[in-house]
Amino acid sequence: MNLIEIALKRSVFGWVLMSGLIIFGAISLNKMGISQMPDVNFPVLNITINYPGAAPEVIENEILDETEQRLLIVEGIKEMRSSATQGTGRITLEFDINRNVDVALQEVQTAISQIRYPLNVDPPIVRKTNPEEDPIIIISVYGDRKLEDMMRWTDNTFMDQIQFIPGVGEIDIGGFPDRNLRVWLDLNKLRRLEFTVNDIVEALRSQHLESAAGQYSDGKQEVRVRYLGEARTVQEIENFPIQRRGGQLIQDRVFHIKDVAKVEDGLDDIRRIARVDGKTAISFRIFKQRGTNEVEVADSVIKKLNEVEFPEGLQYRVNVNFTQSTKSTVDLTVEKLWAASIITILVCFLFLGNFQSSLNILFSIPTSILGTFVILYFSGFTLNIFTLLALTLSISIVVDDAIMILENIVRHSRMGKTSFQAAYDGAVEVLPAATAATLAVLAVFLPVIFMDGVIGKFLFQFGITMSAAVILSLLEAVTITPMRAATFLGKKPKMSKLEIKLDHMFEKWGEYYGSILAVCLDHKWKILFVSFLMFGGSMFLLTKIKQEFVPSQDQNLIILTAQARPGTALDETIKMAEPLQKILNETKEISGYMISIGPGQLFVPIALVDQTQRDLKHTEVMDRIRARSKEAEGLRISMRDISARNLTTGRLNPIAFNIRGPDLQILNDKAQEMIKILEDEKLGVDVDTDYRLGQKELSVTPLRDQLIRKGVSADALSQVLQVSIAGLRVGQYMADGKRHDIRFKVIEEQIKEKQDINKLYVRNNFGNVISLSELVETEHKQALQSINRINRQRAISVYGNLAPGQSQSTVLAQANQIAAKVLPEGYTFNLEGAAAGFSSSFQNMYLVLLIGIVVAYMILAVQFNSFRDPIAVLMALPFSVTGAIIILWMFNSSLNLFSFIGLIVLMGIAKKNSIMLVEFTTQIREHDKLDYREALLKACPVRLRPILMTSVATVAAAFPLVVGGGMGHETRQPMGLVIIGGTIVSTIFTLFVVPQFYLVLNHMRFKKSED
């Protein structure tokens, strides 16, 4: 007893199976998390090492070189990027995508722990980074209160209320300098009292300490002894006595720290501020925990914000809510899913003319789709753009098997058979074709699961979803569909007028199709020549289609960055940002923004009015801001959208590459030359580099002869400079239940120019105070703002946006050619970020398509027990590509990641009709003992109706992806176009060209056997 017979004889089995898939699928759906992209664990580690006050060259030589050398022993590093800036070194390690990032993290920490860094270097911080774990929402607390007051309230009250919301992960704070106890040294008072900065540092360090002194026993119990030497208040530190001057005990009078310094409970040096509506702000970038529903988490955060009691003068604003685009995309995709399902049922009704049959197919959709959610849930997947698009695209495939079997059951029923016999005979007859078609479809999607690279990890969920839906659709088609058909048809099915009319119509169409096919078979070589000519022409047309990683998407958000001249102070940058804020305030398409300002740098996430309520596209808003950017004098403005967000590591700009070599000056000259060519040839806009030369630097060089003559150590001299200018952390203190750094520094107003260095004094070995003017020489120079390296080579990154109308593939190819011309020997060109993702993903997808076709051929060869018949079946594929290319060109759409996904789906769909045709022809030839031509002329008209039915259903199911706007329309449309165009063309060629191949190949076999 086979599965079909079991389902028919034990109908309860079929109903329970269907109910179980629907019920448990619905439960799984409600438990799944929602995110824009799949949860992928990117193997990327960031290492941050702070060395306060150190120049980029010092960071490179003393920190990065040794650290990178140690990290070379860690296995699986794909790329090592490092950056040296003032006071900070950063290293980013990208591992092979299959590397266990947690194990890599442990190995990196072990390697770094063996390094001995210079004194005053903060312990390295190693963190995992994941593009999928970008913040889901950015909020700001702003108002007219002092920054210190805002900081204390947010740190002590606000943060805890947000942190404990279910689903909230890390919270990153911007415009939030750490709370510090500041000891501001007064140079005038130090000089008058003959103290040096080192004397004051030593006074606090020797007295502000706390330790455990052990325990003693009184015979009955132990008593712990604890030495409480730490100061608890600002006043206590102010009153610490300065007991020594240059190591010598002071006996004539008592000096206190407050006599030479101002002590205050303040903040670390402010290097970046945030502004909202021109007011001081603190921004919070809120991340979700992995696997949680990001929409629910963001809604919970906003709900909590409405419940929080803000102090007078403070308020909040949601600057960016990334989950709005996620929610809109998910909702619209679900809406398209429902629309595709309804349209498919209507198409089936129009072809069958029978309500019961259409109802049967209607049940097949929720059974397969909801059943797929069970597999997705237990696989740990989320509802994201890839899983939902897979389900939407699978609608036509899901109903294909049901249509194929149901149409054949109805045909057998009209032969006068009982409903049971018709269901059994019809299902058994089509079962081989349905199985072969399903396996051939799986052959296309399964290779996607094994795709390499970052995109491969995303498409893994797409492939699993499609495969699960297809397998369940086959299970549903061979068990539940025949059972429902036997139930719905009844014992003596009576045909309605519509059914009779449709039958007559399709009979006439079949006869007409058969007569045309007979003519085509008589001119098979001409038909084949014209077919291949069309295919070749479409390949030429491919060069006219734009190719890009992802299409530009309007997600109601753009990112603006701006650069001022290197070395521009924070206060000056704040002034320079005012015209830019004026431009943004006057742009009516902008609903809000937050501006983050650092020395010479601006970062502005801009929220746009919802696209349904504005006339301009987001790119047009960017062009408008770009046109007015000249009003913001001194700022170089660049903008981008977030189309490639979460899809790749590195820069998201469509133009992104780096050049590497030993000499930074040569690298900069060649980078500027390439930028000029790209802009002059209208290939790119907003093109810039990460190289910043022109940072004003004061070089302080010790006069070593003078140091020896005066008896001053270089170490003492260095410490005076560090404490006075960079600041020195000396211990910690407790306040509000938390520990904060104590930081020494000279009052900032006392060191403003080169001559102020002469106000500093150092003590020599004899206890005398010597001015630095006698020990050093100073000189102003132009220095680097940062030094960047990739794989231990110095590098400069070039990035920007595509000029209007340009293709990403063309621009990147041109950039490669330009680099080959301008770069000298020893210098290399490499893509990065989204540009590298574009290159690698397309290479992988071409390979996936090729492997899918090979596997499909192997499966079909086994199914047909022939090496030739599968070739005839697969000839539908190149012509489906022809249809896809033609429709993309007609609608001026691009070949991108999403249209390529549509192409993969099309490869699975296009084969099903040709399988149905070839498999039935083989059955007819063997059963009726006909030759190949007669078998084709008898079988093809019979299969016309189910072929047209599945093709129209496929086109109809893809139609909602193309029409309408809304969030994510730019990604859905190319997929829908590819499927519609490819299906229409492949159906025509399946009906007329595949029979020619079948006939030619089998005639060749027949002649060979005669020979």
Side-chain angles (χ1 to χ4, degrees), residues 483-496:
M483 177 273 296
R484 286 196 303 257
T487 302
F488 292 158
L489 286 174
K491 293 182 179 180
K492 293 183 179 180
K494 184 179 179 180
M495 294 179 63
S496 65

Side-chain angles (χ1 to χ4, degrees), residues 543-562:
T543 60
K544 305 297 182 182
I545 297 176
K546 289 195 301 181
Q547 296 183 34
E548 57 189 351
F549 184 38
V550 290
S552 180
Q553 302 167 53
D554 191 342
Q555 299 187 18
N556 298 333
L557 179 70
I558 56 178
I559 303 297
L560 183 149
T561 57

Side-chain angles (χ1 to χ4, degrees), residues 578-846:
E578 291 175 359
L580 176 61
Q581 294 181 70
K582 182 174 182 291
I583 295 171
L584 299 180
N585 291 333
E586 293 175 355
T587 304
K588 63 180 182 179
E589 290 80 12
I590 294 176
S591 63
Y593 66 91
M594 179 202 73
I595 183 166
S596 176
I597 307 174
Q601 297 177 339
L602 300 176
F603 174 76
V604 191
I606 302 172
L608 302 179
V609 175
D610 190 87
Q611 58 180 271
T612 59
Q613 300 174 13
R614 55 182 158 87
D615 298 327
L616 299 181
K617 297 179 180 178
H618 73 295
T619 51
E620 294 171 329
V621 176
M622 291 165 63
D623 290 339
R624 179 172 292 185
I625 297 172
R626 192 178 289 118
R628 294 189 60 187
S629 62
K630 293 180 181 178
E631 299 175 23
E633 295 183 7
L635 292 177
R636 183 180 177 90
I637 293 175
S638 177
M639 285 172 287
R640 61 175 173 82
D641 57 29
I642 58 170
S643 300
R645 177 177 176 257
N646 295 337
L647 281 172
T648 183
T649 58
R651 297 187 187 277
L652 302 182
N653 304 77
I655 301 175
F657 59 86
N658 60 72
I659 53 176
R660 308 176 194 175
D663 192 311
L664 274 175
Q665 187 57 51
I666 293 176
L667 286 173
N668 184 45
D669 292 342
K670 298 304 178 184
Q672 295 302 325
E673 184 177 349
M674 292 183 69
I675 289 174
K676 186 175 186 304
I677 295 173
L678 288 171
E679 291 183 336
D680 289 348
E681 295 185 3
K682 307 297 183 184
L683 296 173
V685 295
D686 299 336
V687 187
D688 201 358
T689 76
D690 62 356
Y691 181 80
R692 300 286 180 265
L693 179 65
Q695 173 75 42
K696 193 174 181 181
E697 179 181 84
L698 180 65
S699 297
V700 180
T701 307
L703 302 172
R704 300 196 183 279
D705 292 342
Q706 287 294 98
L707 291 180
I708 296 173
R709 188 177 296 113
K710 300 288 186 180
V712 177
S713 69
D715 180 64
L717 182 63
S718 174
Q719 188 175 13
V720 166
L721 284 169
Q722 183 180 14
V723 175
S724 304
I725 301 173
L728 181 68
R729 184 179 64 245
V730 184
Q732 293 185 318
Y733 85 111
M734 182 72 73
D736 296 329
K738 299 180 181 179
R739 294 188 68 78
H740 306 280
D741 290 341
I742 300 174
R743 192 173 295 272
F744 279 77
K745 192 175 184 180
V746 168
I747 296 173
E748 291 182 336
E749 287 73 16
Q750 294 185 348
I751 300 182
K752 288 286 189 180
E753 53 189 36
K754 174 181 175 181
Q755 292 73 15
D756 292 337
I757 299 295
N758 299 330
K759 299 177 183 178
L760 300 176
Y761 288 81
V762 63
R763 197 175 300 281
N764 65 7
N765 297 335
F766 309 105
N768 300 322
V769 177
I770 311 295
S771 171
L772 261 65
S773 60
E774 303 176 34
L775 304 173
V776 300
E777 61 179 8
T778 56
E779 179 185 3
H780 279 301
K781 293 181 179 179
Q782 297 293 315
L784 295 171
Q785 193 174 49
S786 65
I787 300 173
N788 298 309
R789 309 186 342 167
I790 301 175
N791 294 339
R792 309 204 73 196
Q793 284 186 299
R794 287 187 167 184
I796 291 180
S797 293
V798 179
Y799 52 90
N801 297 318
L802 298 172
Q806 288 292 346
S807 168
Q808 186 178 16
S809 62
T810 302
V811 173
L812 294 180
Q814 288 287 333
N816 196 2
Q817 293 175 11
I818 294 168
K821 293 178 182 178
V822 305
L823 292 182
E825 187 177 352
Y827 292 77
T828 58
F829 169 91
N830 302 273
L831 298 177
E832 64 177 49
F838 163 75
S839 177
S840 63
S841 62
F842 268 48
Q843 291 175 4
N844 283 330
M845 284 186 165
Y846 283 122

Side-chain angles (χ1 to χ4, degrees), residues 920-969:
F920 192 61
T921 301
T922 303
Q923 282 188 25
I924 292 293
R925 189 182 63 82
E926 293 176 352
H927 184 270
D928 296 348
K929 306 300 181 182
L930 301 175
D931 63 19
Y932 294 105
R933 176 187 167 86
E934 291 175 347
L936 283 169
L937 291 175
K938 183 175 182 179
C940 292
V942 175
R943 282 288 170 252
L944 175 65
R945 187 174 188 175
I947 287 175
L948 291 178
M949 189 173 173
T950 55
S951 297
V952 173
T954 299
V955 171
F959 188 71
L961 298 175
V962 177
V963 299
M967 200 78 71
H969 172 69

Side-chain angles (χ1 to χ4, degrees), residues 139 158 162 301-308 310 316 318:
I139 62 174
F158 181 73
I162 303 299
V301 170
I302 295 173
K303 181 180 178 182
K304 174 58 72 172
L305 289 172
N306 293 326
E307 296 172 355
V308 172
F310 286 83
Y316 81 90
V318 177

Side-chain angles (χ1 to χ4, degrees), residues 487-537:
T487 302
F488 292 158
L489 286 174
K491 293 182 179 180
K492 293 183 179 180
K494 184 179 179 180
M495 294 179 63
S496 65
K497 292 181 179 180
L498 179 59
E499 288 180 274
I500 296 171
K501 187 174 182 179
L502 287 173
D503 280 354
H504 289 318
M505 183 181 72
F506 280 108
E507 284 176 8
K508 289 181 180 179
W509 285 10
E511 292 172 1
Y512 185 59
Y513 164 59
S515 61
I516 296 176
L517 180 61
V519 175
C520 292
L521 291 175
D522 292 334
H523 301 84
K524 52 183 176 294
W525 293 110
K526 293 179 181 178
I527 297 293
L528 293 178
F529 175 75
V530 172
S531 301
F532 279 112
L533 194 64
M534 287 186 62
F535 177 71

